[in-house]
Amino acid sequence: MTRWTAALTGLLGVAAALAAGHLVAALVGPTASPFLAVGNTAIDFTPSWLKDFAVRTFGTYDKLVLLIGMAAVLAVAAVVAGLLSRRSATPGTVLAVVLGLLGVAAVLYRPDLGLLGVLAPVASLVAGVAVFRWLHARASSEASVGGRREFLVVSGAAVLAGLGGQLLGNRVDVEASRRAVGDLTPARPAPPLPAGADFAAEGTPSFITPNRDFYRVDVALSVPRVRAEDWVLRVHGLVDRELNLRYTDLSRRDLVERTITMTCVSNEVGGPYTSTANFVGVPLRDVLREAGVRPEADQLLSTSVDGWTAGTPVDVVLDADRGALIALAMNGEPLPLEHGFPARLVVPGLYGYVSATKWVTDLELTTFAAKRAYWLERGWGERGPIKVMSRIDSPKGLATVSGRPVVTGVAWAQPTGVAKVEVRADGGPWRAAQLATEVNGSTWRMWRAELDLAPGGHTVEVRATDRSGFTQPSERVAPVPDGATGWHSIFFTVE
Ligand SMILES: Nc1nc2c(c(=O)[nH]1)N[C@H]1C(S)=C(S)[C@@H](COP(=O)(O)O)O[C@H]1N2
Ligand SMILES: [Mo]
């Protein structure tokens, strides 16, 4: 067997295995597809520092990078196994079995997949071993390299199976379900935005973040696809009566709209993981009171359809002033799929990792002593109140500006609100910045400051103070375990 033939035998064996698994997964649960299941499980086992690095370095493309990385590793393993199998088919067979078992383990580990899901990696294992051994036998027996019709047959079958699986897996038409959701007009709309809520003309973000620009952070390798008509929210645990709510049980209620700034705990000082939207939904408090929360419950454990969990303090979600929502819509349309369609939680004043469950399907009233949520298990803090923070948006670091520089940015201190923002240049005295009109305490607040600076390089810093009088500390602290602190600073040059 030539080296080329041997390598190709290995590659095609793995391709056939992946395709067979993908096809069977389409029938038993699309996330059981071994490649996805292994990727999702890898994410769950990735240490926090590496995940932070991935989010910092690749942003929203972190998952794409993981998939490409996995494909590269698989391809190399397949080629190596093929090359090692030039005399005997054993090394390649062992690789196919090991990969298949890895898939089985990954599927068993996924909290959202039943036992039936195991059929997908089992199909991979069987197809991988059978196709590899068959190709190997044919390639060893034939002398000519040209007549390898088997290779073409296997390639074609793998492509067909993979595409078939993809089509079948997408037959759940969530886009159509989302279009058919109907009217989500709030009975109680949010107050209209006041004039002068942002300084967008001078470089701050627009007050409301368009949905396509809204930051996205989650551990879902493929966006969960749940149709509104199939969705059920179970409310159970330490309650007087269990509830099972369908989508229309919520969408037909009097909906409320709230303008809320969400923030991610992994946001670095100066980072982008904060955005604002008009969320429309049902007060979470109303639903919990209908279930009747027992006094022992101190944690609301919410679970998404793919098994991710968040633990939220019960006193926060029962607080009428806080205004936590089961949100169905965002900025005038049903939630985009990546932001949690059909329904998600939004809790003002808490970082997303302890509160903002997307694709939520389960609300369990329990205690912090009894259950630990996803990120708590991975070293992040139990309670996640948002820390007061400010950021300079303009000028950009290292920019050159002419004339009198205007420095602008945002600050946030949900749910109390920002009382003061100060800036200083080159370690000089702090000066109050001009604040934009406040929308509510649970949203960010834009600010601007005109500075008198001599030509040359300058370092400008910013700090905010919340309504309780607490000023953000200068001490630089990393996002782990409960949110970054420190003053954002930029360096720029005045001509
Ligand atoms: N199902 C699910 N919900 C989730 C997460 C997740 O990984 N899975 N991540 C949370 C985190 S850490 C944040 S900051 C917010 C981000 O919401 P967004 O992507 O809509 O901005 O979602 C939260 N909800
Ligand atoms: Mo987050």
Side-chain angles (χ1 to χ4, degrees):
M1 213 191 283
T2 67
R3 289 217 164 77
W4 280 112
T5 309
L8 202 55
T9 312
L11 269 179
L12 284 178
V14 167
L18 289 179
H22 202 60
L23 180 62
V24 172
L27 305 170
V28 298
T31 51
S33 182
F35 195 59
L36 283 180
V38 169
N40 271 317
T41 303
I43 290 179
D44 288 350
F45 279 106
T46 305
S48 299
W49 61 264
L50 187 54
K51 247 186 268 200
D52 295 342
F53 166 80
V55 171
R56 254 200 327 276
T57 314
F58 307 117
T60 305
Y61 296 107
D62 56 342
K63 299 177 191 76
L64 186 64
V65 170
L66 173 68
L67 288 177
I68 294 173
M70 278 172 51
V73 169
L74 260 184
V76 170
V79 167
V80 170
L83 289 175
L84 290 177
S85 302
R86 286 174 76 196
R87 280 197 182 78
S88 122
T90 310
T93 309
V94 168
L95 178 76
V97 171
V98 166
L99 288 180
L101 291 180
L102 203 64
V104 170
V107 165
L108 286 178
Y109 177 81
R110 300 301 309 151
D112 55 324
L113 288 168
L115 260 189
L116 214 55
V118 170
L119 289 179
V122 167
S124 280
L125 195 158
V126 172
V129 171
V131 168
F132 174 75
R133 295 194 70 98
W134 180 66
L135 284 179
H136 192 272
R138 304 292 299 194
S140 320
S141 68
E142 277 174 44
S144 89
V145 187
R148 299 267 149 67
R149 216 177 314 141
E150 291 83 359
F151 285 177
L152 278 179
V153 170
V154 168
S155 309
V159 168
L160 280 182
L163 283 180
Q166 195 61 25
L167 284 175
L168 272 175
N170 284 349
R171 76 192 179 282
V172 182
D173 197 347
V174 269
E175 280 88 2
S177 167
R178 184 169 175 271
R179 282 192 298 274
V181 147
D183 191 20
L184 296 173
T185 310
R188 284 181 279 156
L193 276 194
D198 63 34
F199 295 118
E202 292 179 303
T204 70
S206 59
F207 192 86
I208 297 293
T209 314
N211 286 352
R212 64 172 184 285
D213 298 335
F214 204 96
Y215 84 90
R216 177 184 167 199
V217 171
D218 57 60
V219 297
L221 204 42
S222 56
V223 175
R225 302 170 67 82
V226 189
R227 299 192 312 171
E229 50 274 45
D230 302 329
W231 181 84
V232 181
L233 178 66
R234 177 168 176 235
V235 188
H236 64 113
L238 299 171
V239 293
D240 297 333
R241 64 204 77 78
E242 181 170 327
L243 303 178
N244 284 283
L245 301 168
R246 306 202 65 92
Y247 190 79
T248 45
D249 295 334
L250 295 184
S251 65
R252 291 193 186 133
R253 296 187 184 206
D254 277 354
L255 299 175
V256 303
E257 182 180 43
R258 292 186 179 134
T259 312
I260 298 167
T261 298
M262 289 184 51
T263 306
C264 182
V265 68
S266 52
N267 195 53
E268 302 273 345
V269 173
Y273 299 129
T274 184
S275 302
T276 303
N278 285 313
F279 290 98
V280 171
V282 172
L284 177 55
R285 174 176 193 262
D286 292 358
V287 169
L288 295 179
R289 280 160 54 108
E290 281 159 37
V293 176
R294 302 246 185 88
E296 317 88 89
D298 66 2
Q299 172 176 226
L300 173 68
L301 188 78
S302 52
T303 308
S304 65
V305 68
D306 61 346
W308 186 85
T309 52
T312 317
V314 163
D315 53 347
V316 172
V317 289
L318 288 182
D319 179 359
D321 295 334
R322 190 62 81 103
L325 285 180
I326 303 175
L328 307 179
M330 177 177 179
N331 292 334
E333 50 175 308
L335 289 175
L337 302 191
E338 318 80 74
H339 294 291
F341 181 82
R344 75 171 310 167
L345 303 185
V346 183
V347 184
L350 297 184
Y351 287 124
Y353 82 105
V354 290
S355 66
T357 307
K358 307 193 266 192
W359 317 288
V360 64
T361 53
D362 191 288
L363 299 179
E364 181 183 354
L365 278 304
T366 177
T367 61
F368 280 106
K371 300 240 163 130
R372 293 166 66 79
Y374 188 92
W375 284 113
L376 192 55
E377 284 283 280
R378 290 161 176 80
W380 292 75
E382 182 172 84
R383 319 275 158 140
I386 295 176
K387 293 180 178 175
V388 51
M389 183 50 72
S390 53
R391 181 182 82 197
I392 301 169
D393 289 308
S394 179
K396 295 284 172 222
L398 304 181
T400 300
V401 296
S402 43
R404 234 179 114 143
V406 181
V407 183
T408 64
V410 302
W412 58 87
Q414 307 96 311
T416 49
V418 172
K420 185 166 72 177
V421 170
E422 297 163 295
V423 293
R424 70 173 181 186
D426 308 314
W430 289 100
R431 290 192 28 202
Q434 177 195 347
L435 293 176
T437 315
E438 176 164 78
V439 172
N440 68 56
S442 295
T443 59
W444 56 17
R445 197 155 179 197
M446 295 359 188
W447 55 268
R448 70 190 291 281
E450 290 175 29
L451 300 179
D452 262 325
L453 296 174
H458 297 279
T459 299
V460 170
E461 292 167 290
V462 64
R463 69 177 188 192
T465 300
D466 71 14
R467 285 215 181 282
S468 77
F470 179 79
T471 300
Q472 75 180 90
S474 66
E475 190 201 348
R476 280 271 177 164
V477 161
V480 184
D482 55 11
T485 68
W487 298 333
H488 188 209
S489 75
I490 57 154
F491 177 86
F492 62 93
T493 304
V494 177
E495 301 189 303

